[in-house]
Amino acid sequence: MSERLREKLNILADAAKYDVSCSSSGGNRKNDNKGLGNSHASGICHTYTEDGRCVSLLKILLTNHCIFDCAYCVSRKSNDITRAAFTVEEVVELTMNFYRRNYIEGLFLSSGIFKNADFTMERLLRIVKKLRLEERFNGYIHLKTIPGASEELIREAGMYADRMSINLEMPTESGLKLLAPEKTHQQVTQPLGFIKNQIVQFKEERKLIKSTPKFVSAGQSTQMVIGATPETDQEIMQTAALFYKDFSLKRVYYSGYIPISYDNRLPMIGSQPPLIRENRLYQTDWLMRFYGFHVNELLNDANPHLDIDIDPKLSWALRNLQHFPVDINVAAYKVILRIPGIGVTSAKKIVQARKFGKLRIDQLKKIGVAYNRAKHFIKCADSPYQLKDYQGSQIKAFIQAESQSKYLKYDTSQLILF
Amino acid sequence: MQNYIFDGSFEGLLSAVFNWFERKPGQVKLQTEATFQPDAFMSCLHIVNEREKADRVWKGLQSNLSKAALRKFYCTYLSELEEGYTALFEFACYLFTEGPAIEKNYGNPYVLALSKIAKKVEREKHRMEAFIRFQQNADGIFYCGIDPDFNVLPLIATHFKNRYADQQWIIYDLKRNYGLFYDLSKVEEIKIDFNQRQKTTGIANAIVSEKEGLYALLWKDYFKSTNIQARKNTKLHVQHVPKRYWKYLTEKQFEQD
Ligand code: SF4
């Protein structure tokens, strides 16, 4: 009995691991039924895989049986692999027991499609209902919507899940058509639009009637596979920006394609996943969401690709030297945020601290500014007098020379946020 | 310059601040009894803990500091660091001299020190919330022993109480020899003597619940399955999960397999 469960867990966790659109942040479910669990807005990473990704949720597939044959997917029909399926009870039991031992923040449940979309979606729904209603589980639940499932099922699932997502898979329609001929972007946008409208509607109702349940309270997200098809970074980020705007997504995830198939439409097995590129896309996403950048400032027809050797904020600054130097002691917060080497935390500290007197270099360093990077773009109380106007390329060379040793220490696949 | 010696307690620290305002002795060096080295050239004052005075200082802090700054103050105290005590003392004196606005003056070394030390303590608190792994004992209680660098138990009590409202649990600080016990209605501080402790830790396998082995095994399996070989990055892994925490982590116990 336990041997079979182990085997299933191995198969169905292994198959789910390529989905990166999984985080427990954004949840806010209180434990007020004296049941088990709650979820924090910030979420908790309970451990990290040996590749350094955070593990906060039990991420599994309900089954890796699938009637479809998407080329980028391990579960595709034509792939010769061992198949397995959990029962509803098994998923519930694993979730509860892992949660009780503080292994996880909750469940991320996805599935291959067996029989048809509704048959599969209906099982996912049974699992969340059992967890919430019978086990009084208040931990985080993220459900993957099954493309093509009926609106009634999606709607009901949304009453119990904290987050729902449906993967866009490829950044462009043509890319998707090439690798998953049965799928269209429209199949994804339809449920995204439906869920978004439901969220808005439930919110409105809650304003009038307090007891209205929350609907997908942590919002929805989507994922794009990067590097399987030849899209430019500009195309990718414009799609992301559009989806943020149209569907009020909480997150867009970018998943560097890891070759898993000998299909000649795809990169060869053994080729390196585009980890740096993936990192740069996340940085760009970050700049759009938290730093007030518009996608066109970072990527446009003149610059359709992100620089690999420098981060997108530095890259933008070097292309827009006319905005610099910025005077730390007078500039608006939003302007300070755009300076390379200054993140949200230090920008806030600067604005607070300068009320007590003009800030000097040593204070900026103590506040946490990456001064060697920032110094080319700022003026402060004791800035040395600048004789020469440097070109962007010269500044870039200075910064790279100075941070060379530091870069060698870091692994480039790490997400460094300015 | 004068030495102030206190006993390392929160009450002692606050009493020291009160004393300074009573005496206004100029520069003072604050030290704990544990680390104090007598010095022939400096006079010293042994701080007597006085509840009433400490309370007055605490109230003063509460009314002059924002919630966030007050939390930083408390976290810095829990660091148990000598330089943390100094920073708290200087910070409090600075605050009561200059007024509430100073809490954001990050140009001041003590304001900055509080901010930095508190951040370290908060990080460990957060890590404890993440890395604690309960084992269920035969009597049904979920147990975990820890030995964090900083004294974070007071900071994590509420988190675990809210989260595990329907199961009994114990989190025990083996280094400081005290723990938290939640009995389904409230969290209490407990001390377990060694023999008693052995019973509760489940060091002897017999008293660990039967299911325990299975779930530990399933969790280890899961940890292995989620790894993507093509992305392996040990450096990053160790950065997120420093080795000193591995002993807590079920998924890192490979030897016993
Ligand atoms: S439908 Fe989903 S599970 Fe099935 S092959 Fe396509 S991506 Fe994989």
Side-chain angles (χ1 to χ4, degrees), chain A residues 14-212:
Chain A
D14 191 85
K17 72 185 175 189
Y18 297 102
D19 198 314
V20 298
S21 66
C22 143
S23 90
S24 58
S25 51
N28 193 0
R29 190 173 288 270
K30 282 214 182 77
N31 183 356
D32 42 21
N33 58 2
K34 265 277 176 181
L36 179 69
N38 55 6
S39 46
H40 279 281
S42 59
I44 295 180
C45 301
H46 284 267
T47 190
Y48 291 83
T49 59
E50 280 165 20
D51 51 68
R53 285 169 309 130
C54 137
V55 179
S56 63
L57 303 174
L58 169 63
K59 180 164 57 159
I60 46 175
L61 296 186
L62 175 62
T63 181
N64 64 343
H65 289 282
C66 192
I67 53 172
F68 286 113
D69 203 34
C70 311
Y72 48 81
C73 175
V74 249
S75 303
R76 70 187 179 279
K77 186 174 61 190
S78 64
N79 202 14
D80 182 19
I81 48 164
T82 320
R83 306 279 169 175
F86 280 125
T87 64
V88 170
E89 288 70 28
E90 282 168 339
V91 175
V92 170
E93 203 180 305
L94 275 174
T95 309
M96 291 300 288
N97 277 291
F98 279 11
Y99 195 90
R100 287 197 180 285
R101 285 163 181 76
N102 204 40
Y103 297 166
I104 53 168
E105 284 293 283
L107 174 68
F108 175 100
L109 187 60
S110 167
S111 184
I113 302 173
F114 46 176
K115 296 214 175 126
N116 58 54
D118 271 357
F119 183 88
T120 314
M121 193 69 207
E122 196 263 331
R123 289 202 174 199
L124 300 183
L125 177 60
R126 263 165 55 200
I127 290 168
V128 270
K129 276 177 90 166
K130 197 170 162 69
L131 277 169
R132 294 282 193 233
L133 303 178
E134 289 173 37
E135 305 285 343
R136 293 189 302 167
F137 175 72
N138 300 304
Y140 190 82
I141 301 180
H142 180 158
L143 272 193
K144 282 293 275 294
T145 311
I146 302 299
S150 63
E151 289 188 347
E152 295 86 275
L153 288 174
I154 294 177
R155 184 171 190 280
E156 201 180 351
M159 315 270 284
Y160 304 103
D162 293 290
R163 176 169 286 180
M164 305 250 275
S165 69
I166 183 162
N167 287 354
L168 197 50
E169 311 292 8
M170 298 300 144
T172 58
E173 188 80 41
S174 56
L176 188 65
K177 267 270 146 314
L178 176 72
L179 299 179
E182 297 123 324
K183 285 186 176 171
T184 60
H185 270 185
Q186 199 246 329
Q187 276 175 328
V188 176
T189 52
Q190 204 174 320
L192 282 175
F194 174 71
I195 292 171
K196 182 200 157 191
N197 291 337
Q198 292 288 316
I199 292 175
V200 174
Q201 206 174 314
F202 272 73
K203 259 200 196 132
E204 286 300 312
E205 276 170 37
R206 264 175 82 86
K207 277 188 209 149
L208 300 172
I209 310 161
K210 262 263 150 63
S211 61
T212 306

Side-chain angles (χ1 to χ4, degrees), chain B residues 26-212:
Chain B
Q27 271 252 306
V28 155
K29 195 170 170 211
L30 184 73
Q31 301 188 60
T32 56
E33 279 160 8
T35 55
F36 173 61
Q37 300 273 332
D39 175 342
F41 302 100
M42 271 159 82
S43 69
C44 51
L45 178 77
H46 285 270
I47 301 296
V48 181
N49 294 359
E50 283 175 277
R51 191 53 181 273
E52 207 181 299
K53 290 180 179 175
D55 277 351
R56 275 177 65 186
V57 175
W58 183 236
K59 288 223 176 72
L61 289 168
Q62 281 175 316
S63 55
N64 281 295
L65 292 175
S66 67
K67 253 186 154 173
L70 200 64
R71 167 123 186 153
K72 280 183 193 166
F73 192 92
Y74 185 49
C75 286
T76 304
Y77 170 70
L78 294 178
S79 77
E80 300 176 335
L81 294 172
E82 203 72 17
E83 72 261 33
Y85 296 144
T86 305
L88 289 172
F89 178 78
E90 298 289 349
F91 175 87
C93 294
Y94 180 38
L95 174 75
F96 293 131
T97 321
E98 297 293 326
I102 63 105
E103 71 170 57
K104 290 204 168 131
N105 181 13
Y106 295 103
N108 174 286
Y110 302 113
V111 177
L112 201 65
L114 247 66
S115 178
K116 282 192 172 151
I117 296 173
K119 204 171 172 184
K120 283 192 206 164
V121 175
E122 293 280 10
R123 187 167 61 196
E124 182 149 54
K125 168 215 175 243
H126 196 74
R127 279 177 169 160
M128 281 301 125
E129 288 172 356
F131 296 157
I132 273 174
R133 298 284 179 265
F134 287 119
Q135 276 201 334
Q136 193 179 23
N137 291 347
D139 56 9
I141 299 178
F142 286 82
Y143 175 87
C144 178
I146 59 175
D147 60 349
D149 290 351
F150 308 126
N151 181 19
V152 293
L153 277 190
L155 297 175
I156 61 177
T158 322
H159 168 82
F160 283 97
K161 178 172 182 269
N162 291 340
R163 175 156 297 197
Y164 296 105
D166 76 340
Q167 71 187 37
Q168 290 187 299
W169 52 260
I170 292 172
I171 299 171
Y172 205 80
D173 187 331
L174 297 159
K175 197 151 132 192
R176 294 167 188 82
N177 195 28
Y178 82 106
L180 303 173
F181 171 52
Y182 172 70
D183 63 0
L184 299 183
S185 64
K186 61 192 178 310
V187 178
E188 275 175 342
E189 259 187 48
I190 52 162
K191 245 185 176 41
I192 306 176
D193 69 64
F194 190 69
N195 287 330
Q196 182 75 28
R197 183 203 291 172
Q198 262 186 328
K199 271 193 225 156
T200 332
T201 51
I203 290 169
N205 270 329
I207 65 145
V208 171
S209 96
E210 239 176 86
K211 274 162 73 186
E212 208 44 55

